[in-house]
Structures are given as structure tokens and as C-alpha cells.
Amino acid sequence: MAFRGIGGWLDDRIGLEGVRRMAEEKTVPVHRHSPWYYFGGMTLFFFLVQVATGILLMLYYRPSSEEAYESVQFIVTQVPFGWLIRSIHSWSANLMVGAAFVHLFSVFFLKAYRRPRELTWLSGFVLLILALGFGFSGYLLPWNKLAYFATRVGTDIAGSVPLVGEFVLRFLRGGDHVTGGTLSRFYGWHVAILPAITVALLGLHLWLVQRHGMSVTPAEERKGGARRRMPFVPDFLLRDLFGWTIALAVLAALAALFPWELGEKADPFAPAPANIKPEWYFMFMFQTLKYVPGGEIVGIENEAIAILGFGAIGLLAFLVPFLDRGVVRVGRSPGFTIVGVAGILYIVLLTVLGYHSWVPAAAAAVLFLVPWLAGRGADSGREER
Amino acid sequence: MQEIRRSDTRQMPRRRFLDRLLGVSVVGLATAVVYPIVRYLSPPEVPEAASNRVLAAKVSELEQSPAKIFPFGSEAGILIRSPDGEYRAFAATCTHLECTVQFHEPSKRIWCACHNGWYDMNGRNVAGPPPKPLERYTVQVEGDEIFVSRS
Ligand code: HEM
Ligand code: FES
């Protein structure tokens, strides 16, 4: 009774009725590719974990070259459960980027970017870039040796782009060198600028998803749309929550069993350690640059050409909704599918080469095969019934 | 889709059992998330200044001005040379609301600017809001160096 009273009171003022109707009307198509619908929500879950643990870390972290390392050391050795919070933040960051990559490729293969969801794709793509920015800026914050030199290398690479390189490098570093000033700057990006932009874009992204509803593949569409739909509330939402619980369990297990390392404090006057490496999601680009021979063509260094190449590929991927005319005209575009598969294989192969390890390939196989098999299994299971 | 026949009494106990199980799991999960966070929010005991004895000043410094604020662990201390040339040291933290005090040369007293609190040269609270005297430290002069320690 009391609840109805409060609900009615709020409804009069903010119109809960509309929210309720929206929740009631939202449905999710059920077909063999449905498992992919979970990855956007999974990315969102990891993002929320990042916000919560990030705020907690801010309570003890100190963004200066004198104190950053010590404050993180304090967090992981003195603060109760500090090691756990930091470990979760680091692991979840990586899982979030992983989930975003799977999400991107899955909506790519399902051709969900086609009209009218172009803006959903564009906003999502920028969200991925922002996620990479979070990773790059966060990596430096503990001010340890590995991160310090990786940031020098990373910003130096960005600096070798013709024409704008000089500006980009100084803009990223907040000066000519990686110093305490760079740390302050990265901190500002990491905890204020990127979160603000991300929240705004995420709002747009989710609003668009809500507005358009979930897409089905062109093939399903030709069959006249999915034969079954499930209500979003509660059916899909509960499944989402179940997925989030599993994600939390995996996250907690990883964070507790493999606590994120801190390494040694950065020392600008010490020689660089041998195994400088970027975060795994930059590895395929980093590794590609290793194979580029020195020298120059038409007055531009080979390395700069490779970097511009990545930029161009990124731009093409960004503009995919406008490039893929086939899917609009005849409802299919196998060429784009092949290019997408080739892209995944390239990224996995170079990551494997970069780490001298098959783990990246196994992880990619699990991430892409399990949802695919689950979808097929559910689909055939239903048809037999 | 999944229709539950509420009249089917045979089904209810199992359903209630599962509901309870779910409830307990959700509470357990919430506890496992909230407990570490609450513990994390309470700051750990930071060990006191490793040494209880610090080099507060050089004798020559106190010849130029009659008082000096010096770091004592993470807090401030105040060292004063009295008119008869004796050194005295106190915690510089006002006993009222923890502002840092200063030496007031004209009146030869210790003054807290925050709420106009006054202490005499022995650290006794003599005027204004401070409720207690300043904590007094021990001073030792060794050659040109003045050491202060907690007694
Ligand atoms: C911070 C990262 C991101 C978050 C939190 C996020 C979140 C979501 C969520 C919750 C959904 C609805 C459920 C689903 O389809 O999985 C969704 C849909 C979608 N996302 Fe993202 N996303 C992110 C990044 C991306 C990226 C990198 C792309 C691709 C460039 C993208 C493109 C799309 C598209 C096209 C849809 C519509 C799918 C459909 O209607 O079938 N998103 N996103
Ligand atoms: S704090 Fe010193 S008088 Fe109030």
C-alpha cells in the first residue's frame, strides 16, 4: 500500500508510467545470434566496476612523480583490501577492452551498423577509442619502470606522425619529456576528461539502442524477422544479471589469484629494462612496427607510413556504415565479413608473435567460439522441439 | 511464457526453497562486495614518526629570529628562544581546533591566529578559546645543533 503511494507520488511528478511502459514494450529477438547481444551489457558492467573502483583508488592515490609509486605501494600493502581494489581495477580494465572488442566485431559481423543504426556504430567506435585512452593513461599512473618507459615509447611513436607529430607529442606529454607533468596530465585525462566524455557518449549510445531496439541480421530479416522475442524485463534483464554475476566471479578470481604487479619505481636516469611492452591491446600495432624496416619512401619514414596506415584503417572502420552499400542494396556484404575475419586473425597473430605465447589465440578462440556455439545450440535445440 | 499455476500447492515448497536460496545468495554476494569496500574506506594506522627525536634548528638560526616552526614527524613543532637565552619547544598544534600557532614577538607570547588564542612562554593557555596547554618537548643543544624530542 505504502509502496503504491510512493510510486503514485513519484509518477505524478516524473512520469514513472512512461518508464514502465518503455520497459514493458522492450523485447529482444531470439535467434541463433542472440548470445552476442550480451557483450554490450558486459562492457557496460566492466565500465561500472571501473567507475566504482577508480573512485575508491582516488581516495589514496597521489598524482605526482614523487609520491605516485609510494601511494600505490601504500594502497596494496597497508590499506585493508587495497590490493584487491587495485587488482580489480586493473583486471577489469583489461576485460572491459576485451569485451568492447568482442562487442565491436560481433555487431560488425551481424551488420548491426546498417541503417538506421549508423550513429550507434559511430558512438560505439569512439567509445572504444576512449576505452583505449583510459588504458593508455591509466598504465602510467603507478609510475613504475615498465609504464614509464612504455609511455616514453608510446608517445614517441605518436610523435613520429608527419606534420602533427610534434604537436601531438608535446600535447600528450605536457612538454618535451615524460615527467611529473606528464603524470599530472594523464591523471587529469584519466579521472576527469575521459570519464566526462565517456558518460555523455555512453548515454547517447544506450539511448540509440533503446530507440532502435535490437537489430537482427539481414538473413533473419529476409525470413521475416525473428520468430521469437523475449521481453527485456524481466527475461533478458535477468539473463544479463546472471552474466554480470559470472563476470564478477571471473573478475574476483583473477584479481585474487593473480594480483596485479606494481614493479619497481620509475627512474628516469636508469637504463630501460629489456621487456618494455605496451598493454596487450596495443601489442599488434607495436609488433607491426617492429617488422617495418628503417628508411623512407617519398621522404616519409617507413614507420610513420605504418602509423598513418593504422590511422587510415581505423578511419575506414569508423565509416563502415557508409561504406557498406551492399548490405543496404541486396541485404548482404560477404566482402566486409571476410575483411572482418582477416582483421581478427591479424590482430591475434601479431599479439601471439608479440608475446611468444599462444594464450592470446586461445583467449580469442574462447571469446568468439563459445557465444557462437551457444547460439547454434539454442537454435537447433528449439527447432527440434 | 512460463506460467505458474498458483493453485498448484505441490510446486510451492520447492519454489519457496529456491527463492530463499536466491535471497541468501544475493545477500552473501552483496556482503562480499560491501565488506571489503567499508574496510577499505577506513584508513590504516599510519605509523608515528619513526624517530622521536629531530634536528629542529641550528643555534645560528635562532640568533636571527626568536622562533622557528620545524617538522616533527608529520606535525609541526615550534622552537622558541626566550629572552634569557633558554630554548623551549612545543607542539605547534593549537589545542583548540588544531591550527598551527606562531610566536608573537611584541608580547613574547605564542599566538593562534585562527580564533585569537594565546599561550605564554611555558605553553600555558592564558587567553582565548584554547582549553589546554601546548604539549611540551625536551630540547637538547649539541654544539651548533638543537635537537627536540618527545619526553
Ligand atoms: C564503452 C564501450 C561500450 C559500451 C559500454 C557499449 C554498450 C552497449 C550496449 C549495452 C548495447 C546493447 C546490447 C548489445 O547489443 O550488446 C550496445 C549496442 C550496440 N553497440 Fe555498443 N558499447 C560499447 C562500445 C561499442 C563499440 C566499440 C561499437 C562498435 C564500433 C559499438 C556498437 C554498437 C552497436 C552497432 C549496437 C547495436 C546492436 C544491435 O542493435 O544489435 N558499441 N552497446
Ligand atoms: S584553533 Fe587555535 S584558537 Fe581556535
Side-chain angles (χ1 to χ4, degrees):
Chain A
M1 243 26 244
F3 181 75
R4 277 193 75 93
I6 296 171
W9 191 88
L10 283 177
D11 189 24
D12 285 346
R13 281 149 190 88
I14 53 180
L16 282 181
E17 190 53 32
V19 178
R20 201 175 60 83
R21 205 169 318 122
M22 193 173 89
E24 258 170 21
E25 276 165 15
K26 189 173 169 68
T27 59
V28 178
V30 181
H31 52 85
R32 67 167 48 175
H33 301 298
S34 297
W36 300 112
Y37 292 148
Y38 292 95
F39 279 90
M42 196 64 88
T43 316
L44 179 62
F45 171 71
F46 288 124
F47 179 69
L48 295 178
V49 170
Q50 287 310 92
V51 172
T53 51
I55 290 174
L56 288 175
L57 289 174
M58 279 176 78
L59 298 184
Y60 292 104
Y61 176 76
R62 303 182 183 182
S64 78
S65 56
E66 292 85 35
E67 293 185 304
Y69 181 85
E70 284 78 3
S71 68
V72 177
Q73 205 169 35
F74 180 79
I75 291 173
V76 297
T77 59
Q78 305 289 314
V79 180
F81 292 104
W83 63 274
L84 185 63
I85 303 288
R86 167 165 190 257
S87 196
I88 288 186
H89 194 74
S90 309
W91 274 107
S92 174
N94 287 281
L95 297 184
M96 170 174 149
V97 174
F101 266 113
V102 176
H103 179 52
L104 176 142
F105 276 108
S106 68
V107 294
F108 181 79
F109 290 133
L110 299 185
K111 322 239 179 243
Y113 50 76
R114 69 191 190 284
R115 196 185 131 86
R117 295 184 180 77
E118 298 93 331
L119 284 178
T120 319
W121 173 269
L122 295 183
S123 59
F125 198 91
V126 178
L127 280 171
L128 181 70
I129 304 292
L130 291 170
L132 299 182
F134 268 115
F136 188 65
S137 56
Y139 196 45
L140 180 67
L141 298 185
W143 200 248
N144 58 24
K145 257 193 188 153
L146 220 55
Y148 171 78
F149 283 105
T151 303
R152 268 172 60 158
V153 174
T155 47
D156 188 81
I157 290 174
S160 58
V161 178
L163 298 180
V164 292
E166 169 82 15
F167 168 78
V168 172
L169 181 125
R170 299 205 65 227
F171 178 78
L172 287 174
R173 292 184 175 175
D176 291 320
H177 306 283
V178 175
T179 61
T182 316
L183 184 59
S184 300
R185 188 164 269 249
F186 274 37
Y187 182 68
W189 280 98
H190 195 78
V191 309
I193 304 173
L194 291 176
I197 306 176
T198 303
V199 166
L201 262 179
L202 192 55
L204 174 68
H205 194 70
L206 297 181
W207 180 75
L208 287 169
V209 170
Q210 169 60 31
R211 187 182 150 81
H212 296 307
M214 302 309 300
S215 74
V216 293
T217 55
E220 290 285 339
E221 224 162 48
R222 277 196 295 277
K223 286 193 252 158
R227 272 153 299 154
R228 287 211 314 153
R229 308 184 72 88
M230 70 165 80
F232 183 79
V233 182
D235 298 51
F236 192 80
L237 188 62
L238 284 176
R239 284 171 170 78
D240 243 350
L241 286 179
F242 184 64
W244 289 17
T245 317
I246 294 177
L248 184 63
V250 170
L251 184 57
L254 286 171
L257 297 179
F258 309 101
W260 207 262
E261 282 184 28
L262 179 54
E264 282 172 60
K265 182 172 178 171
D267 178 358
F269 303 106
N275 50 350
I276 284 301
K277 55 180 182 336
E279 296 268 70
W280 61 266
Y281 36 84
F282 294 123
M283 185 53 112
F284 71 97
M285 292 188 271
F286 189 68
Q287 189 67 17
T288 304
L289 291 183
K290 282 195 188 165
Y291 298 126
V292 174
E296 52 182 56
I297 341 173
V298 294
I300 305 175
E301 270 181 57
N302 287 349
E303 193 174 75
I305 291 176
I307 296 163
L308 288 177
F310 277 121
I313 293 171
L315 188 64
L316 289 178
F318 181 60
L319 295 176
V320 142
F322 309 106
L323 300 177
D324 188 353
R325 306 316 310 169
V327 80
V328 183
R329 264 187 276 113
V330 291
R332 37 181 300 153
S333 51
F336 280 79
T337 307
I338 292 169
V339 170
V341 172
I344 294 187
L345 291 180
Y346 182 82
I347 292 176
V348 171
L349 178 68
L350 273 103
T351 311
V352 163
L353 289 170
Y355 283 103
H356 302 291
S357 151
W358 287 103
V359 173
V366 169
L367 277 175
F368 284 101
L369 284 182
V370 168
W372 189 70
L373 289 174
R376 293 192 79 82
D379 204 41
S380 59
R382 216 176 41 247
E383 253 140 296
E384 276 158 27
R385 239 181 278 144
Chain B
M1 236 160 293
Q2 340 104 306
E3 215 179 271
I4 304 151
R5 276 176 295 149
R6 300 212 176 272
S7 56
D8 192 342
T9 45
R10 203 167 43 83
Q11 289 284 21
M12 285 314 281
R14 181 166 62 172
R15 184 167 184 87
R16 205 178 308 138
F17 171 74
L18 288 175
D19 277 351
R20 291 241 172 95
L21 193 64
L22 183 66
V24 170
S25 314
V26 169
V27 171
L29 182 64
T31 316
V33 171
V34 172
Y35 175 73
I37 294 180
V38 172
R39 288 288 314 281
Y40 177 90
L41 288 175
S42 51
E45 296 287 333
V46 184
E48 287 275 322
S51 126
N52 266 340
R53 183 177 144 98
V54 299
L55 170 60
K58 297 265 163 90
V59 167
S60 47
E61 282 179 80
L62 282 205
E63 271 157 15
Q64 283 142 30
S65 77
K68 184 191 173 190
I69 304 269
F70 62 91
F72 193 77
S74 57
E75 296 289 307
I78 185 164
L79 178 67
I80 301 167
R81 186 167 51 85
S82 68
D84 50 357
E86 196 197 328
Y87 296 110
R88 293 165 190 193
F90 306 95
T93 307
C94 179
T95 56
H96 178 222
L97 294 173
E98 302 199 2
C99 287
T100 298
V101 297
Q102 56 187 291
F103 186 61
H104 190 251
E105 173 93 82
S107 67
K108 300 270 178 292
R109 290 198 296 180
I110 298 167
W111 179 49
C112 179
C114 283
H115 313 96
N116 200 23
W118 293 90
Y119 303 86
D120 68 12
M121 288 285 275
N122 291 312
R124 274 200 311 260
N125 45 320
V126 289
K132 281 189 302 184
L134 294 172
E135 186 191 346
R136 182 149 192 173
Y137 296 145
T138 315
V139 179
Q140 282 156 334
V141 183
E142 290 171 15
D144 184 37
E145 296 178 328
I146 308 171
F147 288 92
V148 168
S149 57
R150 196 167 259 143
S151 26

